[in-house]
Amino acid sequence: MKRKRRIYVWGGIALAVLAVAAQLLMRGGQEVAAVKVQTGSVNRTVTDSGYVQPASDFNIHATQTARVTQVVAEAGQPVKQGETLVVLENLDLSLQISDTQSQIAQAGNTAAGARAALERLNLELKDASDNLDRIQELFEGGAVSRADYDKAVLLVETCRQNLNEQSSKLDSALAQEAGLRQTLSQLSAKEGQLVVKSPTDGMVLNLPVKQEEVVNSGALLAVLAAAGQLEVKADILSDDLREVRVGQKVSITAPVLGGEKLAGEVKKIYPSAEEKESALGVIQRRVPVIITLPDPDVLKPGYEVRVAIETLTREDVLVLPREAVRTTGDGHKEVMVVTQGQVQRRTVQTGLSDQENIEITGGLESGEMIVRDGGLDLKEKAKVKPVEKV
């Protein structure tokens, strides 16, 4: 009796399974995700990470050995052109300026004395010349001797010689004064360099000096970025650079941007590759690529970003998700077309592909329904119920 009861139970279960299967068959077979062949675009990109840097930066170095008396600005501070960043002091330079000023005063006094003496000698020469004219008239009339005439001539010559010597002294004093003033101008310009000012509107990136620190000539005092002029530098694998060209569009993303994408452009490709070590310790050959960066308000120098360089684009072409196309053992491309609830495997021709889509160049028409997952093991003419998904 129990055995018959078990048979009845198992028979009931079997009938229920058959009933469910029949219902599935009546509903159209296995439910599968499907997409329609439609017109779209395919954008092939080269993606990599990069970092934001100033398009124009300024490294300000010390022009002389000096002591830092004041650090006015701070790293990260926006500054205007001409705004003071660092103040230095050079006591030796101050002494040189003071000594030069004293020498200028002495040279001025010497020049003033020579000028006064020159005026006096001019008067003496005039008197001697007038006297010579009178003596010459008397000598020609026989009123004075030859000795008196020669004496008058000698006096004139002596006055002229003294005048020339004094004129040379004045010229020398004036030349010395001019040279000292030029030296003072150079020292004053050097003194002006002790007040380090911003050469442009921008932002202070680094101030590697401290108050009371003594810096040598050539020491880095400040690093500035010009306002509103940022760019992205990305080190692209040399193998990926084959299709990258100057002028190509670039999509820039970063966590700080949220879902926003910035549109940049390839500005410069460096002529040679550099060895870089990856995060996994692998040595790679990478080429620096500079990308323009619009609207840099949120991004700051040093921020890491993600760049996608659009190297090839196809517009208004038939496309499918990449996963809908599978490669057969003989290398052909194949999709599963859903026709009247049944699977039909069809060979297609493909073109350009990107990370999401692939271009269909032959074998399909717009609007046809395709099984989204080309890796499903569905037999030819297998019944399916397509559920369209975007």
Side-chain angles (χ1 to χ4, degrees):
M1 193 71 180
K2 290 182 179 180
R3 183 177 179 184
K4 289 182 179 181
R5 188 174 298 170
R6 289 194 190 100
I7 292 172
Y8 292 150
V9 170
W10 284 108
I13 292 173
L15 289 174
V17 170
L18 291 174
V20 171
Q23 289 180 358
L24 288 175
L25 289 173
M26 290 179 66
R27 291 178 181 177
Q30 179 181 343
E31 188 174 284
V32 294
V35 294
K36 285 183 179 180
V37 181
Q38 58 185 357
T39 302
S41 62
V42 179
N43 298 310
R44 180 179 291 176
T45 60
V46 172
T47 59
D48 217 313
S49 59
Y51 62 89
V52 180
Q53 67 178 20
S56 298
D57 58 0
F58 299 85
N59 295 331
I60 303 176
H61 298 268
T63 59
Q64 56 198 285
T65 300
R67 180 176 65 88
V68 179
T69 60
Q70 191 176 6
V71 180
V72 180
E74 297 179 352
Q77 173 185 333
V79 292
K80 296 292 185 181
Q81 184 177 3
E83 189 172 338
T84 299
L85 306 175
V86 180
V87 180
L88 306 171
E89 181 183 54
N90 186 341
L91 294 178
D92 291 339
L93 180 61
S94 299
L95 290 174
Q96 290 179 44
I97 291 175
S98 178
D99 183 57
T100 303
Q101 288 172 337
S102 297
Q103 293 181 52
I104 289 174
Q106 293 174 5
N109 291 333
T110 301
R115 191 177 289 109
L118 191 62
E119 291 175 357
R120 186 181 69 253
L121 288 172
N122 273 317
L123 292 175
E124 291 178 358
L125 176 61
K126 185 177 184 305
D127 289 341
S129 296
D130 292 343
N131 182 60
L132 177 60
D133 291 340
R134 289 192 301 270
I135 294 296
Q136 186 174 3
E137 289 180 3
L138 293 173
F139 173 69
E140 291 175 352
V144 296
S145 65
R146 180 75 185 189
D148 290 336
Y149 174 75
D150 290 342
K151 184 178 179 180
V153 172
L154 179 61
L155 181 60
V156 171
E157 292 298 327
T158 301
C159 287
R160 284 175 177 167
Q161 184 177 355
N162 291 338
L163 186 66
N164 290 334
E165 290 177 356
Q166 199 60 45
S167 179
S168 296
K169 288 182 180 179
L170 177 59
D171 291 342
S172 177
L174 292 175
Q176 183 182 14
E177 183 181 11
L180 289 169
R181 289 191 182 279
Q182 184 177 2
T183 300
L184 180 62
S185 176
Q186 293 172 349
L187 292 174
S188 298
K190 196 173 180 180
E191 184 181 41
Q193 294 170 354
L194 294 174
V195 180
V196 181
K197 298 182 178 181
S198 173
T200 182
D201 293 349
M203 177 182 293
V204 179
L205 299 182
N206 190 18
L207 282 169
V209 292
K210 298 180 181 179
Q211 190 170 342
E212 300 302 324
E213 179 182 352
V214 176
V215 295
N216 295 320
S217 177
L220 182 64
L221 300 178
V223 181
L224 286 88
Q229 298 180 16
L230 298 178
E231 63 188 16
V232 174
K233 182 180 180 182
D235 294 322
I236 307 298
L237 278 171
S238 56
D239 293 344
D240 294 338
L241 204 68
R242 180 171 57 88
E243 297 176 348
V244 177
R245 300 287 184 272
V246 171
Q248 289 174 337
K249 297 179 181 180
V250 183
S251 176
I252 303 168
T253 57
V256 71
L257 295 173
E260 183 182 4
K261 291 184 179 181
L262 298 181
E265 184 178 292
V266 176
K267 176 182 177 183
K268 178 181 179 181
I269 302 173
Y270 278 60
S272 60
E274 302 172 355
E275 281 193 356
K276 298 282 185 177
E277 185 175 347
S278 70
L280 299 176
V282 178
I283 300 298
Q284 300 172 326
R285 304 292 296 182
R286 290 183 172 268
V287 178
V289 174
I290 303 300
I291 299 164
T292 60
L293 179 61
D295 306 322
D297 292 342
V298 177
L299 297 174
K300 305 296 180 185
Y303 281 26
E304 186 174 2
V305 297
R306 194 73 179 170
V307 299
I309 304 172
E310 297 180 9
T311 57
L312 291 174
T313 300
R314 295 283 191 275
E315 302 286 350
D316 297 325
V317 295
L318 296 181
V319 296
L320 279 176
R322 289 183 60 175
E323 62 267 25
V325 181
R326 63 182 289 266
T327 304
T328 62
D330 55 4
H332 291 94
K333 303 294 184 181
E334 184 181 79
V335 298
M336 290 183 285
V337 183
V338 179
T339 304
Q340 296 180 351
Q342 292 184 335
V343 170
Q344 175 192 358
R345 293 186 175 273
R346 189 183 303 175
T347 300
V348 296
Q349 291 76 49
T350 60
L352 189 66
S353 64
D354 57 25
Q355 294 182 343
E356 297 179 357
N357 298 320
I358 186 169
E359 176 189 7
I360 303 299
T361 59
L364 291 175
E365 293 182 2
S366 179
E368 289 191 280
M369 190 72 68
I370 309 298
V371 177
R372 188 182 185 95
D373 185 358
L376 290 176
D377 186 17
L378 298 175
K379 303 297 184 181
E380 182 76 13
K381 295 186 179 181
K383 290 187 176 181
V384 293
K385 182 181 180 181
V387 179
E388 186 176 354
K389 294 187 177 182
V390 179

